[in-house]
Amino acid sequence: MKIDKSFVDGIATCNDDFTLCSAIIAMAQRLGMHIVAEGIEDEVQLQILNQLGCDTAQGYLLGRPASFEDNLQRWK
């Protein structure tokens, strides 16, 4: 299950976003689903999601988008 960037953006500053992310993660865990949060841009967001039990993170903090060719070169 993916958590949209629009919820992740305010996870550290907006109680509603924190509550929604927490509920999504809890529901996905109970259903045995893998959880991916997208749009991680700072360490605080990553830390909160990690503490809530999020499995995987995506976003500029972890890596910028790259072209297919750049990725091929990186993996050679």
Side-chain angles (χ1 to χ4, degrees):
M1 177 173 289
K2 263 196 173 179
I3 301 174
D4 190 75
K5 178 185 181 336
S6 62
F7 300 126
V8 172
D9 282 344
I11 195 168
T13 57
C14 176
N15 191 49
D16 289 344
D17 287 345
F18 177 86
T19 301
L20 280 168
C21 287
S22 179
I24 291 167
I25 291 169
M27 178 184 64
Q29 287 172 334
R30 286 188 183 96
L31 293 171
M33 300 174 80
H34 186 83
I35 308 150
V36 179
E38 59 183 19
I40 311 289
E41 294 183 355
D42 64 50
E43 291 287 341
V44 174
Q45 293 169 331
L46 183 62
Q47 183 179 27
I48 291 169
L49 289 161
N50 186 44
Q51 289 174 349
L52 290 174
C54 187
D55 299 310
T56 305
Q58 298 175 333
Y60 285 163
L61 176 67
L62 305 167
R64 298 267 178 186
S67 70
F68 180 73
E69 291 78 18
D70 289 343
N71 280 309
L72 282 177
Q73 290 299 319
R74 190 172 298 146
W75 292 103
K76 281 188 176 180

